[in-house]
Amino acid sequence: RQVVSTQSTWGPEDFVFFAQGLPMEESYNPVMRSSTIPVPDDPELAALSDEIYKLICPFSLEIMMDPRTLPCGHTLDNTSIMALAEEGNGIITCPVCRATFDADKVSLEVNAITKRIIEGIKGLNQKRIVICDRCNKRVAKIACQDCGMLYCQTCFDLVHQGRLKEHRWNYLDVAVQKELPYCAVPGHEEYRLDLYCPGTNEFICLMCQATSHRDMEVYPVIKAAHFAKDDLQEWIADTSKRKRKLKSVVQAIDKVIESLEQRAEDELRTLDELLNALIDKLEAQAKVISDKIIERKIMEVDKLCSVRKEIISTVANMTDDVARAERAINLSDAIELILMDREIVKQPPP
């Protein structure tokens, strides 16, 4: 059975190799695909290989690129439906339940959920999954700018020891969408919360999008993370500008404070100089006053000393006169008595 199609066909193994970033073998025959897919070392890729089987067309046994739903509810690739219509001469027979439909009358609806999943898986190699450059096994989650290599967490921790810890690095997108939890809505437990609704600010699954969030705008988590990253980077840029402005304000305040401190120091220095000058002037005036007081004291002392000397001299003279008077009286010399009386008694004392 051969199906003619103008688009490339993808099998489960192709998607696993594509998600790992590994080349597919040229001799790999899609018709003779093995039912065993090599299990990747990374648990995220292992879980991915299990989900891929749900996207296989039951007719071509290949990954559906344009999934369409038959009226019976089963989903096939559009090329397979065309092949079935060609084989049945206009009658489409469902390979699952064997229901038949007229190809001219049947309306084939696009299975949007399955198509979105397939497009998401095809974009993994560009948006999310990159293999570690060192071990070539695990998913790279860290990009080292100084090494120029992509590392998984294990290899990054092994390599970046000692001085290499100072290397510049950042997380890849896979770190943003790491181990997404499953949906808690009843009936959606098998679907991960890989979508984000900004209107309700909720993480939702594909089934939530098709039911309760049908008319709302939703984004894949990795895309919402990119938006959040852009917002954060814009916020960081604005915050950096504000920080620079605030730093300039702080520097201006520091300059004002320094100017005020310098002005206060200058005023204190001037006041100290004025006080010192006033003290010097007061000390000079005090010295002048002290010298005058001492000079007056010396003059008064000298005057008192002169008076004392005169008093002592007068007392001595008086002592001599008393002695002369007593001698004259004792001698009873009339002339001497008259002379002494006239000289001493009749004259006023000094």
Side-chain angles (χ1 to χ4, degrees):
R1 183 173 58 187
Q2 184 178 4
V3 179
V4 179
S5 175
T6 58
Q7 57 184 341
S8 61
T9 57
W10 291 73
E13 299 88 344
D14 297 330
F15 269 98
V16 172
F17 280 100
F18 181 73
Q20 287 180 302
L22 301 176
M24 296 180 290
E25 298 181 4
E26 296 180 358
S27 60
Y28 198 63
N29 187 355
V31 179
M32 302 299 295
R33 295 186 188 277
S34 171
S35 61
T36 303
I37 298 178
V39 179
D41 294 334
D42 192 274
E44 294 184 1
L45 292 182
L48 175 64
S49 63
D50 295 335
E51 296 292 333
I52 287 175
Y53 281 107
K54 300 179 182 179
L55 309 177
I56 298 176
C57 176
F59 179 74
S60 64
L61 300 181
E62 296 176 347
I63 295 292
M64 294 180 287
M65 304 304 295
D66 186 12
R68 301 295 180 98
T69 302
L70 296 174
C72 61
H74 297 109
T75 301
L76 286 77
D77 191 79
N78 189 38
T79 56
S80 298
I81 296 175
M82 294 170 57
L84 287 171
E86 184 179 355
E87 287 184 359
N89 294 322
I91 301 298
I92 301 174
T93 302
C94 176
V96 179
C97 63
R98 310 305 299 173
T100 58
F101 308 97
D102 190 344
D104 296 333
K105 298 180 180 181
V106 70
S107 177
L108 302 178
E109 299 291 336
V110 177
N111 193 322
I113 296 179
T114 303
K115 188 171 183 179
R116 183 182 294 273
I117 295 174
I118 294 171
E119 291 176 352
I121 293 176
K122 288 182 65 178
L124 286 177
N125 189 44
Q126 296 179 352
K127 293 185 178 180
R128 187 179 179 196
I129 296 181
V130 182
I131 301 302
C132 175
D133 291 335
R134 184 175 181 272
C135 64
N136 292 323
K137 294 181 180 180
R138 290 177 287 270
V139 174
K141 298 182 179 181
I142 299 176
C144 181
Q145 301 177 17
D146 294 328
C147 296
M149 296 180 65
L150 304 178
Y151 295 99
C152 62
Q153 187 67 54
T154 303
C155 293
F156 180 82
D157 294 338
L158 290 175
V159 171
H160 291 78
Q161 302 289 335
R163 295 183 177 179
L164 297 183
K165 288 184 178 181
E166 300 178 357
H167 278 192
R168 297 168 298 172
W169 58 274
N170 60 281
Y171 282 108
L172 299 177
D173 291 339
V174 67
V176 178
Q177 196 177 5
K178 176 182 178 182
E179 296 295 336
L180 294 175
Y182 288 95
C183 185
V185 177
H188 302 177
E189 292 85 354
E190 296 182 358
Y191 296 89
R192 291 187 180 272
L193 298 175
D194 54 0
L195 297 174
Y196 177 72
C197 178
T200 59
N201 195 23
E202 293 179 316
F203 292 95
I204 61 174
C205 67
L206 291 173
M207 295 300 295
C208 292
Q209 181 191 14
T211 55
S212 59
H213 291 71
R214 180 179 301 174
D215 298 329
M216 298 183 182
E217 186 177 11
V218 298
Y219 300 100
V221 168
I222 191 65
K223 187 174 182 180
H226 279 300
F227 291 156
K229 182 179 179 181
D230 294 339
D231 293 339
L232 289 174
Q233 288 177 343
E234 183 178 357
W235 177 84
I236 290 173
D238 294 338
T239 304
S240 299
K241 292 180 180 179
R242 291 182 59 193
K243 283 174 61 179
R244 287 193 293 269
K245 290 182 179 179
L246 291 175
K247 285 183 177 179
S248 62
V249 172
V250 171
Q251 291 176 355
I253 293 175
D254 291 339
K255 290 182 179 179
V256 172
I257 292 174
E258 183 179 359
S259 176
L260 291 175
E261 290 178 348
Q262 185 65 36
R263 182 177 177 182
E265 290 180 359
D266 295 340
E267 291 179 353
L268 289 174
R269 189 181 302 109
T270 303
L271 179 61
D272 189 51
E273 293 175 354
L274 291 174
L275 289 175
N276 290 332
L278 180 59
I279 290 172
D280 293 339
K281 185 176 181 181
L282 291 175
E283 288 179 350
Q285 292 180 355
K287 189 174 184 305
V288 171
I289 295 172
S290 176
D291 292 341
K292 289 182 178 181
I293 292 173
I294 293 173
E295 182 179 358
R296 180 182 295 178
K297 182 179 179 181
I298 292 173
M299 290 175 63
E300 291 178 354
V301 170
D302 291 341
K303 185 177 180 180
L304 291 174
C305 289
S306 177
V307 172
R308 179 178 178 275
K309 185 177 180 181
E310 291 179 357
I311 293 173
I312 292 174
S313 178
T314 301
V315 170
N317 292 333
M318 291 174 67
T319 302
D320 293 339
D321 290 342
V322 169
R324 287 173 55 195
E326 289 179 351
R327 188 173 56 251
I329 292 172
N330 291 332
L331 294 175
S332 300
D333 188 353
I335 297 174
E336 187 66 25
L337 288 172
I338 295 171
L339 292 175
M340 287 294 298
D341 179 61
R342 187 178 60 185
E343 179 181 354
I344 298 173
V345 179
K346 301 298 183 181
Q347 290 185 0

